[in-house]
Amino acid sequence: MSEINTLAFTKMFLHLAKYPELAVNGILLGVRSNSANDEADSSYLNFVDCIPLFHGVLSLSPMLEIALSQIDAYCSTRNLTIAGYYHANENYSDPNPNFTALRIMEKIKENNPNAVLLMIDNTLVDLNENDRFYNVFTLTDKTWKNVNETHIVNDESRLSALSLVKRNQHRQIIDFDNHLDSISNDWRNPNIRNELNATSF
Amino acid sequence: MQSAIEKLRKYRDENYRAHDEIIELWTNVLSNRNLSSLGDEKWLILEQIFKSALHCSKQSIARQCLDQLEKQFKRTSRRVSTLNAMYYESIEEYGHAEEIYASLLEDNETDAIVRKRQISLLKEQNQIREAISELNSYLELYQADQEAWSELCDLYLTEHDYTKATFCAEELLLINPHNHLNHERYASIRYSQGDYDKARTYYFSTLKINPSNIRALYGVILTSTNLSIKNPSTASKTQASNDTNQSFIEQIQWAREQIIQKYREAIPDLLPVIETAIQSLTL
């Protein structure tokens, strides 16, 4: 089971909107589950933030290692964990996870076996028609399994995402590539959070 | 209106990718104005709006621009024919587009732009292997086309064929050895292949050209760490081998200090995260 909050959903969408012609990927952060709490289902994922990673070429490993090490460090002080990975292919009609997605998911699952893939379906990105633009997959022994029915998206997310794109916030979102191009670009994207807080429904 | 025109000019000259902004400018400012006062620039603008409209799936705007261009330059214009074919591409009538490109090439087989559009057609239909094959043929003729080598490199990376991607990256290095980005790309592909030694060499050559290339600084840390792990210092190893490890350690230290200095100046509140991250990489 998994759910996603407005902030994570919106940031992911803004990243797609910034680079409509390219493959993009990124990380979803979840609240770290307290393993001492027997009542909570430790495999329940609650996505609360999103760190956009790269655009264009997604299959080179050195900067991925750098990004994951920084995101891990960021998570450790905030009771967060890398809980998901999203991936959009360059080709409009190709909604299938490829080898790069497989490799990155396997790497993420080393630290969090419950992590899932949010595979973007480019044909669903019209949020006036659809409430979500991706399919959720688990990975077991190199086999993907669609678990859409167990993923919850709240109503506000769709509206927020549309609203921020209308306000051209997709031009402001920073991914890890942007950060490496110029480190004053902050991959934590505090501005987006502020924009969302200024939005009300 | 003048500032809109200037902005469009800037985007054309500097090859900016801002299609939604361009369409906004058209819709809000230019579409109702008479552009005849601009002379020949009018046609450049219409072509630019046309292409941006295709990118934004605003086929009706594209159609308006194309109609005006066809009226002016007639259907015999090769440039307008190419735009027409691009319009078919955007509505997924790939067969129609291919017909136009094939006939344009029959008339003039040296038309590089049309050849590249044919390759794009293959890519659009997810026929990556075929696109790679055609692009290779193209590059046999146009060996100095950096954009094409770059595209081929990316296609090979999509297929995870690091060896062939390396070859493309090497061609780019030969064509333009002074571009730090070419060195860094080459290093990163080598790293992805597992060749930390070569990667390290080229991260350093990147820094020689541009000492501020952050990716290369991080690359030095990653490669030196990996190389020293592969070659742990022990009492039984030779002095030379232990010396090598010592120099790896020094270089990691140096790169780390460079990075910390830059973050301190640019984005100091991210520094704790960076320091922890580098620590975890080099343990």
Side-chain angles (χ1 to χ4, degrees):
Chain A
M1 290 261 347
S2 55
E3 67 175 280
I4 186 167
N5 78 352
T6 300
L7 180 66
F9 186 95
T10 301
K11 279 189 182 176
M12 215 188 345
F13 191 72
L14 290 177
H15 193 208
L16 297 185
K18 188 177 186 184
Y19 297 108
E21 75 283 4
L22 293 174
V24 298
N25 65 0
I27 296 294
L28 290 155
L29 303 182
V31 176
R32 192 183 291 276
S33 67
N34 186 353
S35 54
N37 184 350
D38 289 321
E39 288 175 34
D41 173 9
S42 66
S43 69
Y44 186 86
L45 298 171
N46 182 7
F47 300 121
V48 296
D49 203 351
C50 158
I51 313 287
L53 284 177
F54 306 114
H55 53 271
V57 171
L58 309 180
S59 53
L60 294 178
S61 43
M63 296 308 128
L64 177 64
E65 285 181 39
I66 296 294
L68 291 177
S69 72
Q70 290 188 14
I71 296 173
D72 265 334
Y74 177 75
C75 283
S76 63
T77 56
R78 283 174 178 72
N79 204 32
L80 295 172
T81 179
I82 295 180
Y85 165 72
Y86 70 88
H87 185 113
N89 288 330
E90 187 178 348
N91 190 297
Y92 179 76
S93 346
D94 183 7
N96 299 313
N98 59 14
F99 184 65
T100 301
L102 178 71
R103 260 190 20 186
I104 296 180
M105 270 304 291
E106 282 177 340
K107 194 163 174 78
I108 289 175
K109 280 169 69 91
E110 280 170 22
N111 285 337
N112 185 350
N114 296 317
V116 295
L117 166 72
L118 270 61
M119 187 66 204
I120 311 297
D121 184 338
N122 296 314
T123 63
L124 298 178
V125 297
D126 186 348
L127 290 184
N128 289 309
E129 303 276 317
N130 309 296
D131 75 328
R132 69 182 76 167
F133 50 93
Y134 52 84
N135 297 305
V136 186
F137 290 93
T138 54
L139 178 64
T140 321
D141 289 326
K142 299 196 195 294
T143 308
W144 300 104
K145 177 171 164 229
N146 186 317
V147 293
N148 277 347
E149 306 86 54
T150 59
H151 177 73
I152 304 170
V153 182
N154 64 47
D155 284 334
E156 194 191 289
S157 296
R158 182 180 73 85
L159 296 170
S160 296
L162 281 173
S163 163
L164 262 64
V165 169
K166 230 191 192 90
R167 279 151 40 197
N168 290 327
Q169 287 303 306
H170 56 292
R171 297 181 199 159
Q172 307 300 325
I173 193 152
I174 299 297
D175 67 11
F176 213 81
D177 261 331
N178 301 136
H179 174 74
L180 291 171
D181 289 338
S182 168
I183 53 176
S184 48
N185 289 328
D186 192 342
W187 49 259
R188 298 168 299 182
N189 284 299
N191 301 336
I192 304 295
R193 192 189 289 266
N194 295 337
E195 278 294 323
L196 265 184
N197 291 337
T199 309
S200 55
F201 293 100
Chain B
M1 167 155 139
Q2 188 53 33
S3 65
I5 302 294
E6 277 166 18
K7 205 162 206 185
L8 288 181
R9 200 177 291 155
K10 176 178 177 204
Y11 286 169
R12 275 199 313 277
D13 291 339
E14 298 178 21
N15 228 346
Y16 259 70
R17 192 149 199 146
H19 302 298
D20 54 342
E21 207 187 325
I22 290 174
I23 295 302
E24 253 174 43
L25 283 172
W26 173 257
T27 319
N28 298 338
V29 181
L30 295 170
S31 53
N32 297 323
R33 309 290 181 89
N34 187 345
L35 300 175
S36 307
S37 58
L38 301 169
D40 283 339
E41 194 175 2
K42 171 179 177 180
W43 312 115
L44 289 176
I45 289 179
L46 284 174
E47 185 186 36
Q48 181 181 19
I49 305 295
F50 170 79
K51 289 180 184 171
S52 290
L54 292 187
H55 278 288
C56 296
S57 289
K58 300 258 193 243
Q59 268 78 21
S60 57
I61 295 181
R63 193 73 254 171
Q64 278 174 35
C65 296
L66 189 54
D67 285 342
Q68 289 193 57
L69 287 164
E70 281 180 340
K71 200 164 153 197
Q72 175 71 14
F73 295 100
K74 309 288 182 272
R75 288 184 171 245
T76 50
S77 155
R78 288 181 68 86
R79 195 157 160 176
V80 171
S81 294
T82 309
L83 295 181
N84 198 14
M86 282 163 69
Y87 183 83
Y88 284 123
E89 281 185 57
S90 80
I91 55 176
E92 294 181 335
E93 285 191 27
Y94 300 122
H96 219 142
E98 174 55 35
E99 266 173 42
I100 298 179
Y101 292 139
S103 116
L104 284 170
L105 275 177
E106 240 181 76
D107 285 340
N108 178 4
E109 63 182 10
T110 66
D111 193 333
I113 291 181
V114 170
R115 273 196 84 161
K116 286 200 268 195
R117 285 251 49 88
Q118 274 188 323
I119 295 168
S120 301
L121 260 182
L122 291 168
K123 208 181 158 188
E124 273 161 76
Q125 297 169 85
N126 221 7
Q127 294 171 28
I128 305 297
R129 301 272 164 85
E130 291 82 346
I132 287 177
S133 169
E134 287 299 314
L135 194 41
N136 269 306
S137 307
Y138 171 88
L139 281 164
E140 275 169 35
L141 292 174
Y142 298 88
Q143 291 171 6
D145 188 336
Q146 293 187 61
E147 177 189 70
W149 280 114
S150 189
E151 179 67 39
L152 186 57
C153 185
D154 287 352
L155 287 175
Y156 278 131
L157 287 174
T158 317
E159 295 279 295
H160 286 266
D161 192 338
Y162 291 118
T163 313
K164 301 235 176 75
T166 304
F167 179 75
C168 298
E170 280 165 358
E171 287 294 320
L172 283 163
L173 273 174
L174 284 172
I175 294 174
N176 191 350
H178 304 295
N179 183 340
H180 67 108
L181 299 173
N182 287 342
H183 288 254
E184 184 268 309
R185 176 189 352 211
Y186 184 72
S188 294
I189 298 174
R190 281 295 191 189
Y191 184 98
S192 306
Q193 261 184 318
D195 189 341
Y196 301 126
D197 196 37
K198 268 253 168 59
R200 188 166 151 277
T201 305
Y202 280 90
Y203 282 130
F204 272 116
S205 65
T206 307
L207 290 168
K208 211 163 160 189
I209 301 171
N210 178 3
S212 299
N213 186 318
I214 283 281
R215 289 182 174 84
L217 286 171
Y218 279 128
V220 166
I221 293 185
L222 287 173
T223 49
S224 301
T225 304
N226 278 306
L227 286 169
S228 65
I229 288 174
K230 272 180 155 186
N231 186 26
S233 284
T234 60
S236 56
K237 285 279 173 76
T238 62
Q239 182 61 31
S241 160
N242 286 336
D243 281 347
T244 315
N245 273 0
Q246 186 53 32
S247 61
F248 287 150
I249 293 172
E250 283 166 11
Q251 282 154 5
I252 292 171
Q253 213 15 51
W254 170 81
R256 184 178 161 276
E257 276 160 22
Q258 294 291 306
I259 291 173
I260 287 178
Q261 178 60 20
K262 293 187 185 329
Y263 275 86
R264 191 168 280 138
E265 285 165 16
I267 183 169
D269 56 287
L270 202 44
L271 206 40
V273 168
I274 304 305
E275 290 185 301
T276 309
I278 295 182
Q279 185 92 319
S280 73
L281 287 171
T282 55
L283 269 173

